[in-house]
């Protein structure tokens, strides 16, 4: 269990009660806000996310109506089904008491509860679940609300980059993850990850290396009042101070195994792009990658030595064409550029293949004749390193007519690359000058 | 200069004169064969390859007619132009004397001369230059003839794989190149490379690790009687003994810089696919890759650490979508498979994007509930590691109706994963059994 140290945090942003006051400045009266917040808490407790039927119902009728209908067992069968196990053992008053408990537990760690209609609700991040549903993406339903500790969520998913990878990682993966996280945060992006050991930890730390606002967000697979892994409790607290920590699970909920996969869809949805730094063949990280791909986000992977088991997952993503190859923060920023985002969307809806633009391959290493016309370079190449040749000899060697050889030699002489010697020509060395 | 050690080589295959005799068993009389061979030698000496006009002319009128027309200055202007510098300084008798010299020099190192119409001429390798021309590929003209030392050329490009890379290479690149070369040769492919230091050398050596016929072919950028680099003379001789060495340059010609790029198109053309193992940002190796891509061959690249300058070229090829990612000989063989070859062709002619099939990402690491239905696994996950839970508690925790929880517990009990304890359930540990 982590504890909220209120002294170091902004009470307006971090306390659930104060957030209510803040939202209360909108058109809704404070009592309506309170009721809405209680409904979100009730909904989050009533089912195990994700559930497309329930999410759709909440969107259609609103959180308050949805919650009371579920609590009072008046909701449609498709919604009562996923909520029965957690609601039908209790009478309404017991359910409301559970809500009190959850909201108090959240407030105890400085967490607030947000949902659709709240100014900081990342609506844009969840629109794509509609597209995803038609693409048969697993876990394709948005959360109905989120517990949040720390800074206000802004510009998600546009200004966020997810960096994910194996808990087991190599020194190579750590270095690359830190470099990309630092570069992304320095460029103004918020780095999102899962607070796990390994690549996640390095990504959060790298992003916090610069002193800027909201450098990083951790999305948990357990209640907002818990820290998993426990050894990362201090890291998660620090993220809540300078950035944000998010969970769609009620306080106290444990990080059950399937919740990591469900949480991974949020990491993908909340960011414009996801970079997989290191992942084994069966890494859970690949579910984040699958979600990013299915949600039409820009999916990127870092290649590594083919001899490393922890790069196998990355290479599978790259070989399958699902992920774009990135080698640095610069690559990531370029790939997230506007044009690429449009192309990723096109790919998502099947319009055309996505190709990362790149510099055309350039020929060979630096050479004295770089920049000269090929014909002129051929005449230079026809001269041996340390012997003289006549125009006729050069013409035969290069297969270039004598007149053109003479013209080429004139150009080469102007470039200080050749010199005459007894009616013949030879290469000019640096020592000649 | 390398010398032919006739004692270790098959005279029928290796001597130019004996090849003539062999070809003489076809319909053409021996004198016609001799004239054809002299024409090929004259043509190779008359111009600096590649030249599309000259190659097209030779294909249209035949090598003999083309050579005499060039020698006697009766050829079309487009053909006289690239041949003027090397022919107009000599009378016909002098040119014929040069042919004598070239053929004698070739024979001295056990090389023969082949061209269109010769049974071992790799016609199929050069058909694609027609396609390439329309795709504006650099150096897009086939050779008009080739000097060959060693084994007969067979099944090119179908049964050949090019492995190329930087002269400067890392231990990583060496290991991967050797692995791929050994695996490809073991699977019956002929490994083609350029006999340069670095990756080329490792590729040739790796291919020769198995005792099989024609494991490797070296394509030189200089005359067939020269060894470049000189330190690889012994390697080149060994390749000529067990495999083949090829050049489109007359004997004695030096490895001028531009000839490496021109030679690279032959490496690409003579193989079904090209693997780039390591290449810097400006590596000459990228010209082989460009030719393979332009000629509709399967282009593959091996990823490496993003921290290695010698993997930058590979990553550019992969990021641009030009190359397919391969990590092993198995990958290469799968990628060269029939379906992929068809797709590469489709991509070449713009029909559809090329995607390498791959296993779908699998979720997370091994777990006791792997293979069980998700709902059953959720019930298992809802059980804490070391405490018991009632059916009702499990139903609330997992959000699964009590009836289904009981059914799931029955399945879990059958799988020996849970046990009853005082009316509740707990996980069964190995020590319980």
């Amino acid at each position: 269990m982590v504890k909220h140290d209120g002294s170091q945090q902004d009470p307006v942003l971090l306390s659930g009660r104060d957030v209510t006051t803040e939202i209360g400045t909108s058109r809704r009266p404070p009592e309506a806000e309170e009721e809405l917040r209680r409904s979100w808490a009730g909904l989050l407790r009533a089912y195990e996310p994700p559930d497309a039927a329930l999410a759709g119902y909440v969107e259609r009728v609103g959180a308050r109506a949805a919650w009371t209908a579920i609590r009072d067992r008046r909701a449609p069968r498709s919604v009562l089904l996923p909520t029965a196990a957690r609601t039908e053992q209790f009478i309404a008053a017991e359910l409301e008491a559970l809500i009190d408990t959850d909201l108090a537990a959240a407030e105890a760690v400085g967490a607030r509860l947000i949902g659709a209609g709240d100014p900081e609700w990342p609506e844009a991040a969840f629109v794509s679940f509609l597209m995803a549903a038609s693409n048969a993406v697993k876990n394709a339903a948005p959360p109905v609300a989120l517990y949040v500790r720390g800074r206000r969520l802004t510009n998600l998913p546009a200004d966020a980059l997810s960096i994910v990878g194996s808990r087991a990682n190599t020194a190579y993966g750590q270095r690359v993850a830190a470099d990309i996280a630092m570069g992304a945060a320095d460029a103004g992006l918020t780095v999102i990850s899962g607070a796990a050991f390994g690549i996640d930890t390095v990504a959060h730390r790298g992003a916090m290396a610069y002193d800027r606002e909201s450098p990083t967000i951790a999305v948990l697979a357990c209640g907002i009042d818990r820290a998993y892994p426990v050894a990362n409790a201090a890291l998660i607290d620090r993220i809540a101070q300078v950035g944000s920590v998010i969970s769609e699970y009620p306080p106290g909920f444990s990080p059950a195994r399937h919740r990591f996969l469900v949480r991974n869809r949020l990491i993908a949805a909340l960011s414009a792009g996801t970079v997989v730094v290191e992942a084994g063949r069966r890494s859970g990280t690949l579910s984040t990658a699958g979600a990013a791909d299915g949600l039409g986000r820009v999916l990127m992977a870092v290649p590594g030595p083919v001899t490393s088991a922890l790069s196998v997952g990355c290479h599978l993503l790259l070989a399958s064409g699902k992920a774009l190859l990135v080698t640095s923060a610069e690559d990531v920023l370029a790939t997230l550029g506007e044009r690429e985002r449009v192309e990723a969307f096109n790919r998502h809806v099947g319009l055309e293949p996505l190709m990362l633009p790149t510099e055309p391959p350039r020929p060979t290493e630096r050479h004295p004749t770089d920049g000269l016309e090929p014909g002129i370079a051929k005449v230079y190449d026809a001269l041996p390193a340390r012997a003289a040749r006549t125009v006729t000899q050069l013409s035969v060697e290069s297969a270039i007519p004598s007149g053109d050889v003479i013209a080429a030699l004139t150009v080469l002489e102007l470039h200080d690359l050749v010199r005459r010697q007894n009616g013949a020509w030879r290469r000019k060395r640096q020592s000649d000058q």
Side-chain angles (χ1 to χ4, degrees), chain A:
Chain A
M1 303 273 277
V2 293
K3 280 239 158 200
H4 167 46
D5 176 6
S7 62
Q8 294 189 28
Q9 294 175 315
D10 178 346
V12 174
L13 286 178
L14 298 184
S15 150
R17 196 157 307 277
D18 288 324
V19 166
T20 307
T21 312
E22 187 190 45
I23 298 179
T25 60
S26 74
R27 276 189 303 269
R28 282 190 292 264
E31 313 81 52
E33 288 302 332
E34 182 64 20
E35 198 192 331
L36 186 56
R37 233 157 52 81
R38 295 187 61 85
S39 303
W40 289 332
L43 288 168
L44 285 190
R45 181 163 272 280
Y47 81 114
E48 182 71 23
D51 191 280
L54 187 131
Y57 180 63
V58 171
E59 195 181 330
R60 258 194 329 278
V61 306
R64 269 166 296 202
W67 167 242
T68 50
I70 289 165
R71 183 193 60 193
D72 305 339
R73 280 156 219 155
R74 293 181 284 100
R77 194 180 133 70
S78 65
V79 173
L80 286 182
L81 215 62
T83 54
R86 290 211 186 129
T87 58
E88 67 185 12
Q89 347 229 354
F90 307 105
I91 59 167
E94 286 171 327
L95 290 170
E96 293 296 335
L98 285 171
I99 290 173
D100 291 335
T101 310
D102 284 351
L103 291 176
E107 195 178 344
V109 295
R112 61 195 178 276
L113 182 54
I114 64 171
D118 190 291
E120 69 170 313
W121 179 248
E123 186 76 46
F126 304 132
V127 171
S128 39
F129 279 106
L130 298 174
M131 298 199 304
S134 66
N135 281 284
V137 169
K138 265 193 179 174
N139 304 324
V144 298
L146 290 170
Y147 286 95
V148 183
R149 286 177 71 200
R151 305 278 169 189
R152 228 182 142 75
L153 306 183
T154 51
N155 293 327
L156 299 178
D159 287 353
L161 170 75
S162 293
I163 300 178
V164 296
S166 296
R167 279 164 297 176
N169 65 84
T170 67
Y172 166 72
Q174 284 205 352
R175 177 178 160 182
V176 176
D179 280 354
I180 293 178
M182 284 193 286
D186 192 34
L189 291 177
T190 298
V191 172
I192 301 185
S193 198
F197 290 138
I199 298 297
D200 285 19
T201 294
V202 175
H204 288 302
R205 282 196 200 289
M208 292 190 288
Y210 291 98
D211 185 26
R212 52 160 289 241
E213 208 173 321
S214 295
T216 192
I217 295 175
V219 187
L220 305 182
C222 57
I224 192 78
D225 58 337
R226 297 188 62 162
Y228 184 87
V230 176
N232 268 355
L235 174 71
I236 292 167
D237 275 346
R238 185 156 168 242
I239 294 170
Q241 279 165 32
V242 300
S244 317
V245 177
I246 293 176
S247 170
E248 72 175 316
Y249 296 102
F253 269 45
S254 66
R257 195 169 69 105
H258 66 90
R259 288 185 184 139
F260 288 96
L261 301 183
V262 171
R263 179 273 314 265
N264 288 349
R265 88 191 193 290
L266 292 185
I267 291 179
L270 290 167
S271 52
T274 294
V275 181
V276 183
V277 176
E278 274 191 326
R281 178 180 290 274
R282 285 164 59 86
S283 171
T285 297
L286 298 179
S287 80
T288 317
D293 184 51
L295 292 169
R297 301 295 194 268
V298 179
L299 176 59
M300 295 159 276
V302 176
V306 298
T307 45
S308 165
L310 285 170
S311 285
V312 170
C314 292
H315 293 153
L316 285 173
L317 289 173
L318 291 168
S320 69
K322 284 194 196 305
L324 296 167
L325 188 148
V326 290
T327 65
S328 62
E330 291 68 37
D331 274 6
V332 170
L333 295 170
T335 306
L336 282 179
E338 197 49 45
R339 200 163 72 75
E340 283 71 24
R341 223 177 298 171
V342 169
E343 282 179 346
F345 176 80
N346 286 346
R347 180 176 62 140
H348 179 61
V349 296
L351 287 186
E352 56 174 289
L354 182 60
M355 292 285 177
L356 182 65
T358 178
E359 296 173 63
R362 294 177 223 168
T364 195
E365 65 271 24
R366 298 294 306 171
H367 192 269
T369 55
D370 276 0
L372 297 180
E373 279 179 38
I376 295 170
K378 273 190 188 176
V379 171
Y380 181 85
D381 290 339
L383 277 171
R386 282 176 197 79
R389 288 285 183 271
T390 64
V391 167
T392 305
Q393 286 171 325
L394 289 173
S395 172
V396 171
E397 168 65 19
S398 64
I400 292 172
S402 309
D404 294 345
V405 167
I406 292 166
L409 287 168
T410 310
V411 174
L412 290 168
E413 194 175 25
L414 280 171
H415 280 81
D416 219 27
L417 292 170
V418 299
R419 62 187 172 85
R420 286 168 218 257
Q421 188 185 49
N422 305 327
W425 294 80
R426 63 186 308 153
R427 289 192 184 183
K428 199 164 175 179
R429 280 168 291 166
Q430 297 301 321
S431 54
D432 293 339
Q433 291 169 355

